[in-house]
C-alpha cells in the first residue's frame, strides 16, 4: 500500500520519529529555568554528552548527501566538499578550550566585553542571524532534493511539459557521453550547446517528484523549531544521543546493498573510471585541484574560529570540553569515509542518470532499500539535520537576546529573554525558507557560506592571541568585508544593465583534454576495448564558465548567438583582482575560485593589523579580565572557577608567567604536556583517516 510514492510502513516510521522528537522537547521543557539552562544546559555536561552534541552539531544529512553528490559529480576528490575540516582536527584540541574558557553565553558577548562595544556586538549578532539564514538554506536545499528523489511520480502521470524535460535530459546525457569517445557532427554539437544552456537554467529533469519543496521546508522548519524552543540545550543534548545512532545508520546503510549489486569492490572498479578514484583532481574538468583544496582548507580554518559559546561553553571543564569536542569531531571524520564509498558506488550504479547530482542519495535509497527502510532513511536524514540545527539555533537565540535585545532593553526579564530567543529561532528558520527558494546550485551556496564566514573569523582568531587588536580595527574590517562579500555580490545583479554587461559576463575559455584510463564494462560492450582494464583514451571537456558570475547563460537558450546574461551572485573579489590586470579567461574554474578565496583570507588580516597599530588600544581593565579568563583553566565547581579567574585578574603576573612571550602583546600560553600530546595524537589520527580514503580507493583495483 503506497501513498505519494511511499509505502505505508515508511509513513509509520516517519510519523513515529516526529512524535518522539516533539515529546522529548516537551519533556525537557521543565528543566529550563533560566537562560544558562536554555542555552548551555547549566554548563554541566561531561565529555560523553559533549561528544554526542558535537557530533550532532557538526554532522547533518545534507553533508552526507553533499559529499555523495560531489563524488557523483567529480569522483573521489569530491569528498573534500565536507572533509576540509579534517586538517582542523588537531587545532580543535585548543579551539575547545578557548570556547570554554571565554565563559560567555551569547556569541556577541566576546565583542561587547573584549572590545567594549555594544554596537559591534549587535553587528556581530546580526551577522550570525544572516549567516544562519544562508547556512540553513544549504541544508534545506540538499535535504529537500534528497527527499524529492524518494517520492517519484510514475511516467504515466507526467504532463506534456514534464515528459519533454525528461526526454531532453536523456538526449543531453547521450550526447555528452558520445562526445567523450568520438567527435560530434556540427549538428550534434549545436544541439549539445542548446541542451547545455537549458541544463544551466535547470530546465532538464531526470524525473519528477510528488514532493512540493515549499511545503516540505515549512513542515521541516516547524518540527525542528518546536522541539528546540521547548527544551533548549537539554532537548538538543538528549535528542543528539538518539540521532547520533541514526546518523551512523544513514552513513552506512547503502554500502552493503550497493556493493552487492555492483559485484563487490572489483565490480566497482569495473564500472568507475580509475581517474575518479584520485583524491586530488589534475585535469581541466576538476574543481578539486590540490591548490583549490589547500585554499579551501585555510578558509575553513579561518571561518571556524572558536566562537560557539553555547555548545562550546556547555562542558563542565577544560578536559570535558576537549575530549568531548574532538571525539565528536573524529567520529564525523570516520563517517566521511563511509560517505565517500557511498558516492563511488553511486557513480558505478547511476552515472549520467540524474540531471542534478543533489538527488543522488535519495535516488539510491529508493532504488536499493525496501519498504520501511526508506522511511527509516528519511527519519535518519531528518535526525541528522535536526541535531545540527537544534544546537546551532540556540546560538541564534543567544545572539539576539544577549547582544541586541538586552542592550536596547536592559531590564528584560529572564522569562522574556527565553521567549524572545525561541521566537528568533522560528524567524531565522522562516528566512531560510525564503532564501532557499532563490538558489539552486549547492556547491555555489557552500562556497558562498565559506566566503562570508571570513567577515568574522579573522578577528575572532586574532583576539585570543594578540592583545593589540583594537575595536576600531574590527569595526573597519567587518564593515568592509560585509560590503565586499555580502552587499555588493547581492546588489550588483539587481542593478539595471549589470547582469548583461559584456565586460561582466565574460567566461573562461573552453578546454579539452584527452586522458588515458582503464576500460570499463560499457567500453567492452561497445567495442571500444577488448577487456576490462585495457588502457584507452577518453576525451574530457570543460565548457566555458562564468568569471564574475557563477553562471552565465544565453538569454535565449535556442539561439547560440543571443546575449549572455549573468546568474546568481556577483563575485566582487574576483572583479577587484581583475582591476590589477589578472586575465581570468585563461584560467580554469578551480583557479578562479582559488583566487577569490585567497582574497577572502588575506584582505581581513591586512585591515586588522594595519588599523590596530594606528588606533588606540582597549582599556587595560578589560584586557586584564579577558586574558585572565583565557589563561585560566576552567573547572566544574563554578564558585571555584570564578575565584581562580578573579585571582588572575588581581595578579597580572600569573598571566605573564603563563605566556610564551611575556611582556609582549602576544598571548600564546606555554603548552602543557596535555597540549602537546593531544595535538600529536590527533595529527596521527588525521593520517589514519587519509589512509582509509586511500584504502577505499585501492580495494579491488
Amino acid at each position: 500500500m503506497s501513498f505519494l510514492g511511499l509505502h505505508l510502513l515508511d509513513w509509520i516510521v516517519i510519523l513515529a520519529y516526529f512524535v518522539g522528537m516533539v515529546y522529548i522537547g516537551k519533556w525537557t521543557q521543565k528543566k529550563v529555568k533560566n537562560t544558562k539552562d536554555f542555552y548551555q544546559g547549566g554548563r554541566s555536561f561531561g565529555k560523553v554528552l559533549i561528544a554526542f552534541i558535537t557530533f550532532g552539531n557538526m554532522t547533518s544529512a545534507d553533508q552526507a548527501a553533499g559529499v555523495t553528490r560531489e563524488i557523483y559529480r567529480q569522483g573521489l576528490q569530491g569528498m573534500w566538499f565536507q572533509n576540509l575540516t579534517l586538517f582542523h582536527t588537531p587545532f580543535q584540541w585548543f579551539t575547545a578550550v578557548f570556547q570554554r574558557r571565554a565563559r560567555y553565553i551569547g556569541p556577541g558577548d566576546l565583542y561587547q566585553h573584549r572590545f567594549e562595544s555594544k554596537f559591534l556586538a549587535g553587528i556581530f549578532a546580526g551577522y550570525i542571524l544572516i549567516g544562519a539564514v544562508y547556512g540553513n538554506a544549504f541544508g534545506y536545499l540538499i535535504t529537500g532534493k534528497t527527499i524529492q528523489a524518494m517520492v517519484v511520480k510514475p511516467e504515466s502521470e507526467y504532463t506534456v511539459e514534464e515528459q519533454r524535460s525528461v526526454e531532453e535530459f536523456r538526449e543531453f546525457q547521450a550526447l555528452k557521453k558520445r562526445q567523450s569517445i568520438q567527435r560530434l557532427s556540427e549538428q550534434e554539437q549545436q544541439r549539445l550547446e542548446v541542451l547545455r544552456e537549458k541544463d544551466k537554467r535547470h530546465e532538464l529533469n531526470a524525473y519528477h517528484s510528488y514532493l512540493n519543496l515549499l511545503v516540505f521546508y515549512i513542515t521541516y522548519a516547524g518540527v525542528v523549531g518546536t522541539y528546540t524552543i521547548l527544551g533548549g540545550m537539554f532537548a538538543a543534548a538528549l535528542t543528539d544521543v538518539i540521532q547520533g545512532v541514526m546518523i551512523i545508520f544513514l552513513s552506512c546503510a547503502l554500502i552493503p546493498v550497493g556493493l552487492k549489486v555492483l559485484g563487490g569492490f572489483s565490480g566497482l572498479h569495473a564500472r568507475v573510471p580509475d581517474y575518479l578514484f584520485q583524491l586530488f583532481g589534475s585535469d581541466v574538468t576538476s574543481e578539486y585541484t590540490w591548490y583549490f583544496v589547500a585554499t579551501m582548507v585555510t578558509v575553513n580554518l579561518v571561518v571556524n574560529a572558536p566562537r560557539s559559546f553555547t555548545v562550546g561553553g556547555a562542558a563542565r571543564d577544560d578536559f570535558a570540553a576537549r575530549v568531548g569536542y574532538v571525539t565528536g569531531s573524529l567520529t564525523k571524520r570516520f563517517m566521511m569515509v563511509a560517505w565517500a564509498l557511498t558516492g563511488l558506488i553511486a557513480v558505478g550504479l547511476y552515472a549520467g542518470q540524474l540531471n542534478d547530482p543533489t538527488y543522488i542519495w535519495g535516488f539510491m535509497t529508493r532504488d536499493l532499500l525496501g519498504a520501511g527502510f526508506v522511511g527509516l532513511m528519511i527519519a535518519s536524514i531528518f535526525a541528522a539535520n535536526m541535531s545540527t540545527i537544534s544546537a546551532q539555533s540556540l546560538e541564534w537565540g543567544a545572539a539576539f537576546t544577549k547582544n541586541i535585545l538586552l542592550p536596547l532593553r536592559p531590564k528584560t526579564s529572564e522569562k522574556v529573554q527565553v521567549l524572545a530567543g525561541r521566537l528568533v529561532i522560528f524567524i531565522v528558520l522562516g528566512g531560510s525558507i525564503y532564501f532557499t527558494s532563490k538558489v539552486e546550485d549547492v556547491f555555489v551556496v557552500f562556497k558562498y557560506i565559506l566566503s562570508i564566514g571570513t567577515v568574522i573569523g579573522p578577528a575572532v582568531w586574532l583576539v585570543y592571541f594578540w592583545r593589540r587588536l583594537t575595536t576600531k580595527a574590527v569595526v573597519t574590517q567587518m564593515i568592509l568585508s560585509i560590503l565586499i562579500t555580502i552587499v555588493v555580490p547581492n546588489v550588483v545583479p539587481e542593478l539595471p544593465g549589470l547582469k548583461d554587461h559584456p565586460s561582466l559576463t565574460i567566461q573562461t575559455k573552453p578546454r579539452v583534454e584527452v586522458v588515458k584510463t582503464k576500460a570499463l564494462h560499457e567500453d567492452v560492450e561497445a567495442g571500444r576495448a577488448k577487456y576490462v582494464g585495457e588502457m584507452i583514451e577518453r576525451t574530457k571537456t570543460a565548457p566555458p564558465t562564468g568569471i564574475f558570475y557563477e553562471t552565465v547563460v544565453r538569454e535565449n537558450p535556442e539561439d547560440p548567438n543571443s546575449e549572455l546574461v549573468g546568474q546568481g551572485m556577483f563575485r566582487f573579489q574576483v572583479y577587484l583582482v581583475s582591476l590589477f590586470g589578472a586575465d581570468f579567461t585563461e584560467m580554469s574554474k578551480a583557479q578562479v575560485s582559488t583566487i577569490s578565496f585567497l582574497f577572502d583570507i588575506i584582505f581581513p588580516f591586512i585591515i586588522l593589523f594595519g588599523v590596530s597599530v594606528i588606533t588606540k588600544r582597549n582599556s587595560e581593565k578589560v584586557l586584564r579580565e579577558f586574558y585572565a579568563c583565557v589563561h585560566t583553566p576552567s573547572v566544574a565547581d563554578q564558585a571555584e572557577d570564578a575565584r581562580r579567574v578573579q585571582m588572575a585578574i588581581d595578579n597580572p603576573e600569573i598571566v605573564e608567567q603563563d605566556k610564551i612571550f611575556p611582556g609582549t602583546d602576544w598571548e600564546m600560553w606555554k603548552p602543557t604536556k596535555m597540549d602537546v600530546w593531544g595535538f600529536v595524537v590527533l595529527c596521527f589520527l588525521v593520517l589514519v583517516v587519509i589512509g582509509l580514503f586511500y584504502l577505499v580507493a585501492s580495494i579491488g583495483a
Side-chain angles (χ1 to χ4, degrees):
M1 181 178 178
S2 297
F3 176 67
L4 295 179
L6 290 179
H7 194 276
L8 178 61
L9 286 175
D10 298 320
W11 286 112
I12 292 173
V13 171
I14 295 167
L15 181 62
Y17 169 74
F18 280 135
V19 171
M21 291 300 100
V22 174
Y23 174 77
I24 288 173
K26 185 66 178 176
W27 181 73
T28 54
Q29 185 179 21
K30 60 180 178 289
K31 293 180 175 289
V32 178
K33 299 180 177 61
N34 52 49
T35 52
K36 188 176 289 186
D37 288 342
F38 186 71
Y39 293 120
Q40 295 181 318
R43 288 180 179 166
S44 60
F45 295 164
K47 50 186 176 293
V48 175
L49 210 48
I50 290 295
F52 273 109
I53 294 173
T54 301
F55 179 56
N57 186 36
M58 288 185 173
T59 311
S60 60
D62 57 73
Q63 295 172 352
V67 169
T68 303
R69 169 198 192 273
E70 287 302 292
I71 292 176
Y72 179 80
R73 193 173 69 88
Q74 287 272 306
L76 186 58
Q77 59 190 275
M79 64 94 175
W80 296 113
F81 177 73
Q82 280 295 330
N83 217 20
L84 302 171
T85 52
L86 172 63
F87 299 105
H88 303 172
T89 311
F91 298 97
Q92 290 171 345
W93 189 242
F94 301 99
T95 300
V97 174
F98 287 134
Q99 292 175 158
R100 180 60 184 88
R101 289 188 187 180
R103 297 168 173 89
Y104 295 133
I105 296 178
D109 290 352
L110 173 67
Y111 289 87
Q112 187 166 324
H113 177 235
R114 166 63 175 82
F115 296 111
E116 307 169 84
S117 173
K118 292 182 180 179
F119 170 73
L120 188 56
I123 291 178
F124 176 74
Y127 164 83
I128 289 290
L129 298 178
I130 293 172
V133 169
Y134 288 118
N136 286 332
F138 175 77
Y140 281 8
L141 189 62
I142 293 186
T143 305
K145 289 190 174 185
T146 299
I147 304 298
Q148 263 194 330
M150 298 185 197
V151 287
V152 176
K153 283 184 181 180
E155 290 198 30
S156 59
E157 295 185 25
Y158 286 175
T159 64
V160 174
E161 187 64 30
E162 289 174 341
Q163 184 65 45
R164 189 179 71 174
S165 71
V166 171
E167 290 173 354
E168 288 188 335
F169 166 74
R170 292 169 180 168
E171 181 186 3
F172 179 52
Q173 293 299 320
L175 286 172
K176 284 203 304 180
K177 190 171 185 178
R178 194 178 309 162
Q179 185 187 46
S180 71
I181 55 179
Q182 67 184 56
R183 187 179 181 86
L184 298 180
S185 68
E186 185 177 345
Q187 184 178 2
E188 287 176 327
Q189 187 64 44
Q190 290 177 353
R191 180 58 177 166
L192 177 62
E193 293 304 319
V194 169
L195 293 174
R196 181 172 281 126
E197 288 296 320
K198 288 189 174 186
D199 185 56
K200 288 181 184 179
R201 295 168 175 269
H202 308 286
E203 295 176 1
L204 307 184
N205 296 282
Y207 58 85
H208 292 277
S209 175
Y210 284 113
L211 184 66
N212 181 292
L213 285 179
L214 181 59
V215 173
F216 166 78
Y217 296 149
I218 293 172
T219 305
Y220 178 56
V223 175
V224 176
T226 298
Y227 90 86
T228 302
I229 67 171
L230 289 174
M233 183 57 76
F234 285 113
L238 186 55
T239 54
D240 278 355
V241 175
I242 300 169
Q243 292 169 160
V245 176
M246 296 182 74
I247 291 168
I248 294 173
F249 166 79
L250 176 149
S251 301
C252 303
L254 295 169
I255 294 174
V257 184
L259 284 175
K260 182 179 179 181
V261 174
L262 285 169
F265 282 95
S266 59
L268 175 66
H269 280 271
R271 288 172 173 80
V272 179
D274 54 353
Y275 56 80
L276 293 183
F277 286 90
Q278 297 173 357
L279 284 183
F280 296 98
S282 58
D283 59 76
V284 298
T285 62
S286 173
E287 294 182 44
Y288 292 96
T289 58
W290 69 267
Y291 51 83
F292 178 62
V293 171
T295 307
M296 284 213 299
V297 166
T298 307
V299 171
N300 211 281
L301 181 60
V302 171
V303 168
N304 286 295
R307 61 177 178 82
S308 180
F309 304 123
T310 46
V311 174
R316 64 166 60 105
D317 53 29
D318 277 12
F319 187 70
R322 272 183 155 167
V323 175
Y325 195 68
V326 299
T327 300
S329 177
L330 279 169
T331 304
K332 177 186 176 181
R333 309 294 180 248
F334 285 104
M335 286 299 99
M336 284 183 173
V337 178
W339 302 348
L341 180 53
T342 303
L344 290 171
I345 292 170
V347 178
L349 291 175
Y350 311 111
Q353 294 185 31
L354 296 175
N355 61 292
D356 185 341
T358 311
Y359 293 122
I360 188 59
W361 194 284
F363 191 84
M364 292 180 72
T365 298
R366 178 170 57 86
D367 190 52
L368 298 177
L369 300 184
F373 286 100
V374 174
L376 185 57
M377 178 64 81
I378 292 175
S380 298
I381 288 171
F382 276 106
N385 290 351
M386 288 162 69
S387 63
T388 302
I389 295 176
S390 63
Q392 292 177 348
S393 62
L394 296 172
E395 185 178 83
W396 317 333
F400 177 79
T401 56
K402 298 298 181 182
N403 305 125
I404 296 178
L405 178 61
L406 282 180
L408 295 175
R409 301 189 64 179
K411 296 183 180 180
T412 303
S413 67
E414 288 272 334
K415 184 177 180 180
V416 173
Q417 288 181 51
V418 172
L419 179 63
R422 287 169 168 163
L423 181 61
V424 165
I425 290 171
F426 268 125
I427 292 174
V428 171
L429 291 172
S432 300
I433 293 173
Y434 173 78
F435 181 70
T436 305
S437 66
K438 302 295 182 182
V439 295
E440 277 286 346
D441 193 316
V442 170
F443 192 43
V444 171
V445 178
F446 175 72
K447 290 190 292 184
Y448 185 62
I449 292 171
L450 282 184
S451 184
I452 64 174
T454 59
V455 171
I456 58 170
V460 175
W461 271 116
L462 206 53
V463 73
Y464 290 103
F465 301 113
W466 196 39
R467 184 184 287 253
R468 188 66 180 83
L469 186 64
T470 67
T471 302
K472 289 183 178 178
V474 178
V475 170
T476 303
Q477 179 264 313
M478 282 185 68
I479 291 175
L480 289 176
S481 293
I482 287 172
L483 285 172
I484 291 172
T485 61
I486 298 176
V487 177
V488 175
N490 286 281
V491 170
V492 167
E494 303 302 323
L495 297 177
L498 295 185
K499 218 169 186 178
D500 55 3
H501 196 282
S503 65
L504 301 181
T505 56
I506 58 175
Q507 302 182 79
T508 60
K509 294 179 180 178
R511 295 187 174 196
V512 178
E513 183 178 43
V514 177
V515 297
K516 290 187 176 182
T517 182
K518 293 178 181 178
L520 308 177
H521 272 304
E522 63 180 51
D523 297 310
V524 176
E525 292 172 356
R528 293 188 295 270
K530 296 178 181 178
Y531 55 89
V532 174
E534 180 185 357
M535 296 304 295
I536 62 173
E537 291 186 344
R538 195 180 297 274
T539 301
K540 302 192 73 178
T541 304
T545 184
I547 294 174
F548 301 128
Y549 288 98
E550 283 285 349
T551 306
V552 176
V553 301
R554 293 288 177 184
E555 188 173 39
N556 179 5
E558 303 284 354
D559 181 6
N561 297 314
S562 63
E563 190 174 39
L564 292 172
V565 178
Q567 287 188 339
M569 287 168 290
F570 181 71
R571 293 197 283 200
F572 190 44
Q573 302 95 318
V574 177
Y575 179 76
L576 290 175
V577 175
S578 74
L579 297 179
F580 292 91
D583 182 9
F584 288 97
T585 60
E586 297 292 338
M587 297 184 185
S588 66
K589 188 173 184 178
Q591 290 170 330
V592 174
S593 296
T594 298
I595 290 177
S596 178
F597 276 140
L598 286 174
F599 182 97
D600 290 330
I601 296 169
I602 298 170
F603 176 77
F605 285 106
I606 291 176
I607 301 299
L608 290 171
F609 279 110
V611 177
S612 288
V613 297
I614 61 174
T615 54
K616 182 181 178 181
R617 67 171 64 221
N618 290 86
S619 68
E620 186 59 31
K621 176 180 179 297
V622 168
L623 293 174
R624 284 173 62 177
E625 290 173 352
F626 178 76
Y627 290 107
C629 286
V630 172
H631 285 269
T632 303
S634 63
V635 295
D637 186 327
Q638 295 191 30
E640 174 63 15
D641 186 71
R643 187 193 68 79
R644 294 186 182 190
V645 171
Q646 190 60 50
M647 181 180 294
I649 293 173
D650 296 336
N651 301 276
E653 63 274 11
I654 295 177
V655 172
E656 288 300 312
Q657 291 171 1
D658 190 50
K659 291 164 59 173
I660 296 178
F661 306 108
T664 71
D665 287 324
W666 294 103
E667 294 290 333
M668 289 79 78
W669 70 67
K670 294 176 182 176
T672 64
K673 287 185 178 179
M674 183 179 291
D675 292 334
V676 174
W677 280 108
F679 187 82
V680 170
V681 169
L682 288 170
C683 287
F684 171 75
L685 290 174
V686 167
L687 294 177
V688 170
V689 174
I690 293 175
L692 287 175
F693 280 109
Y694 276 108
L695 180 64
V696 166
S698 61
I699 296 176

